[in-house]
C-alpha cells in the first residue's frame, strides 16, 4: 500500500521497476514478467500434459509474495479447459496425492513436495505432475528435471542494463515460457 507514495518520490527517468510491474504510474519505466496472460499462455502450451491428471492444484503458501494475479489466470485456465482445480494456501496441510498435477510458486514447497514423493513412492511425471515457477539451474537436474514456467531472467537483466546505459525510457515485458521436463 505504501509503494506508490514511496516510488513517486523517485524521478521517473531514474526509476526502473524490475520483474513485477506494480502499476504505480503508467509513465514509470519497467522491464517485467507478466504474471497473468503470459502465465495462462504458458499453461496452454502444456495442455496435453495436464490432461494426464484428474485435478490440477495451485500451491500458494501463506508466506509467499508471488503476485496474486497468477491465481486468477490459473483458475481461468482450469475453467476454460475443464480441469477440476483447487488453490491450496495452508502449507502445513499440504498432502500430495497421486493423479494430481501441482503448480508451485515456492521452492520451499517444491522441496516438501519432492520429499513427500520420496516417502510415498510417487514418481513425478508418472504418478503426479509438478510444475514449478521460475527456472533455476538445479531444476534441470532434480528428479530427472522439474518442469518450469519462467521468464528469461538473463533477458530481464540485459534490458535493465540497456536502460542504464542508453538513458532511454523503457516499458517492456519479457516473455514467459513453459519449459517441459519429466516432472510433468
Amino acid at each position: 500500500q505504501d509503494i506508490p507514495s514511496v516510488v513517486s518520490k523517485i524521478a521517473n527517468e531514474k526509476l526502473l521497476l524490475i520483474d513485477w510491474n506494480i502499476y504505480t504510474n503508467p509513465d514509470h519505466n519497467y522491464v517485467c514478467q507478466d504474471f497473468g496472460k503470459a502465465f495462462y499462455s504458458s499453461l496452454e502450451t502444456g495442455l496435453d500434459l495436464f490432461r494426464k491428471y484428474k485435478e490440477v492444484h495451485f500451491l500458494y503458501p501463506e508466506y509467499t509474495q508471488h503476485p496474486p494475479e497468477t491465481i486468477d489466470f490459473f483458475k481461468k485456465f482450469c475453467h476454460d479447459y475443464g480441469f477440476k482445480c483447487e488453490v491450496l494456501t495452508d502449507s502445513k496441510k499440504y498432502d500430495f496425492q497421486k493423479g494430481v498435477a501441482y503448480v508451485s510458486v515456492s521452492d520451499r514447497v517444491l522441496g516438501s513436495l519432492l520429499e513427500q514423493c520420496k516417502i510415498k513412492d510417487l514418481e513425478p511425471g508418472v504418478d503426479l505432475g509438478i510444475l514449478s515457477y521460475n527456472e533455476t539451474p538445479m531444476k534441470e537436474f532434480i528428479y530427472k528435471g522439474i518442469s518450469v514456467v519462467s521468464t528469461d531472467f538473463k533477458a530481464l537483466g540485459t534490458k535493465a542494463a540497456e536502460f542504464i546505459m542508453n538513458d532511454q525510457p523503457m516499458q517492456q515485458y519479457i516473455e514467459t515460457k513453459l519449459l517441459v521436463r519429466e516432472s510433468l
Side-chain angles (χ1 to χ4, degrees):
Q1 294 173 359
D2 296 332
I3 291 173
S5 64
V6 172
V7 171
S8 69
K9 295 175 184 173
I10 302 169
N12 193 48
E13 65 274 3
K14 296 188 183 293
L15 175 67
L16 178 67
L17 302 174
I18 300 174
D19 192 32
W20 184 7
N21 190 347
I22 52 175
Y23 303 108
T24 55
N25 179 326
D27 295 328
H28 280 154
N29 295 294
Y30 60 83
V31 57
C32 296
Q33 56 180 308
D34 178 357
F35 293 94
K37 291 177 186 173
F39 173 66
Y40 180 97
S41 295
S42 295
L43 294 177
E44 281 184 313
T45 64
L47 189 58
D48 290 339
L49 296 168
F50 285 109
R51 293 205 191 282
K52 296 182 345 188
Y53 305 99
K54 63 182 180 181
E55 296 180 31
V56 184
H57 292 181
F58 193 96
L59 304 172
Y60 193 83
E62 63 282 357
Y63 51 78
T64 189
Q65 297 297 314
H66 190 85
E69 70 188 279
T70 306
I71 293 173
D72 297 332
F73 282 88
F74 167 76
K75 289 178 180 177
K76 178 175 175 24
F77 168 78
C78 290
H79 177 266
D80 290 351
Y81 290 101
F83 290 107
K84 184 176 178 186
C85 69
E86 285 188 55
V87 176
L88 306 174
T89 58
D90 187 348
S91 64
K92 293 174 188 71
K93 294 182 180 179
Y94 288 166
D95 181 25
F96 304 113
Q97 301 296 316
K98 186 175 184 173
V100 179
Y102 295 95
V103 179
S104 176
V105 297
S106 164
D107 284 351
R108 187 171 10 164
V109 170
L110 175 62
S112 173
L113 198 164
L114 292 171
E115 182 178 33
Q116 281 192 37
C117 283
K118 185 176 180 180
I119 291 167
K120 296 178 179 184
D121 197 30
L122 297 171
E123 181 69 25
V126 177
D127 299 316
L128 55 73
I130 300 174
L131 177 62
S132 182
Y133 218 100
N134 292 330
E135 174 70 318
T136 63
M138 291 304 296
K139 289 179 184 172
E140 181 179 353
F141 303 105
I142 298 171
Y143 269 86
K144 301 178 193 173
I146 302 297
S147 296
V148 295
V149 59
S150 186
T151 195
D152 182 340
F153 289 103
K154 183 177 179 182
L156 200 75
T158 299
K159 288 296 179 184
E162 283 179 23
F163 173 78
I164 293 166
M165 299 300 292
N166 298 334
D167 199 26
Q168 295 291 318
M170 180 174 290
Q171 294 186 329
Q172 187 169 358
Y173 281 94
I174 303 298
E175 183 180 19
T176 298
K177 294 190 270 189
L178 176 67
L179 186 72
V180 177
R181 296 186 179 119
E182 289 190 41
S183 70
L184 195 59

